[in-house]
Amino acid sequence: EDSVFLEVLLRRISEEFSGKKTGKNEIIRESVSVILSMFARVYFEETAQLLKVEETRELVMHCIGYIQNHFDEEITLGEMVRLSAMSKTCFCSVFTDITGTSFKDYLNRCRIEKAAQLLVEGEKVSTACIGSGYNDLSTFYRNFKKYKGVSPYAYAIEHKNRQ
């Protein structure tokens, strides 16, 4: 609809420019003003959209930083959604775009990396479980094996033998 209107304005400018009617300069000036206003509207709408996307990314990056610094605490998706002031769907979509994985998967990976570090440092499995933010030993075992391919005990023994 805008492109049709733009085409009409351009045709009008062309006709007025080649004609000799009174007031042609005013009509041309007014038509050009309308065209510039249309371009400005499109430009500012696109710019506003880009700013919104950038702001959304920054909010999710803040949440990612929070997860990295507080993975050993109880962190929920609902908490991250509130922190980002986004809808759950929007947050999850942007989070996945940035990290390449879901919120839950990202949190578990952070926790398991910390647990692996603790095990390499000689901590007991139960200490690594609690120190990495898990409250349940069976969930910890399951996730550790999922992400590291071996049980926490096997991982600790394997790394103890390397030293």
Side-chain angles (χ1 to χ4, degrees):
E1 153 181 328
D2 281 348
S3 62
V4 171
F5 183 63
L6 183 61
E7 196 174 310
V8 169
L9 285 173
L10 289 171
R11 197 174 314 117
R12 185 178 204 183
I13 290 171
S14 177
E15 289 168 0
E16 289 294 331
F17 191 74
S18 61
K20 296 183 187 222
K21 293 182 180 178
T22 306
K24 78 176 194 173
N25 289 340
E26 288 74 18
I27 291 173
I28 291 171
R29 193 176 305 121
E30 187 63 32
S31 296
V32 168
S33 177
V34 171
I35 291 171
L36 291 175
S37 296
M38 290 173 68
F39 283 127
R41 180 190 317 160
V42 170
Y43 171 78
F44 288 119
E45 285 174 353
E46 288 176 1
T47 302
Q49 184 64 27
L50 289 173
L51 289 174
K52 184 178 178 189
V53 167
E54 188 58 35
E55 179 181 310
T56 301
R57 289 182 63 80
E58 284 182 33
L59 289 169
V60 172
M61 290 302 293
H62 176 72
C63 290
I64 290 169
Y66 183 87
I67 292 167
Q68 291 171 345
N69 292 320
H70 299 274
F71 62 85
D72 58 337
E73 301 169 14
E74 185 175 336
I75 300 174
T76 65
L77 177 58
E79 183 181 355
M80 293 296 99
V81 167
R82 281 189 298 281
L83 185 63
S84 68
M86 289 185 231
S87 71
K88 182 178 177 182
T89 304
C90 181
F91 176 82
C92 289
S93 175
V94 175
F95 191 92
T96 301
D97 286 346
I98 292 172
T99 64
T101 189
S102 69
F103 162 76
K104 182 178 178 183
D105 189 56
Y106 186 85
L107 177 59
N108 283 328
R109 285 179 191 276
C110 285
R111 288 177 169 171
I112 294 304
E113 286 305 315
K114 180 60 177 181
Q117 178 186 350
L118 292 171
L119 291 171
V120 167
E121 292 171 359
E123 294 292 341
K124 294 180 181 180
V125 171
S126 59
T127 305
C129 172
I130 293 167
S132 61
Y134 285 96
N135 297 324
D136 178 48
L137 202 53
S138 64
T139 302
F140 172 69
Y141 272 98
R142 185 174 53 253
N143 285 340
F144 197 95
K145 189 159 185 165
K146 175 182 175 183
Y147 293 107
K148 292 297 183 183
V150 294
S151 73
Y153 286 121
Y155 189 87
I157 290 169
E158 180 182 317
H159 282 81
K160 189 175 188 179
N161 292 337
R162 289 184 186 173
Q163 294 175 348

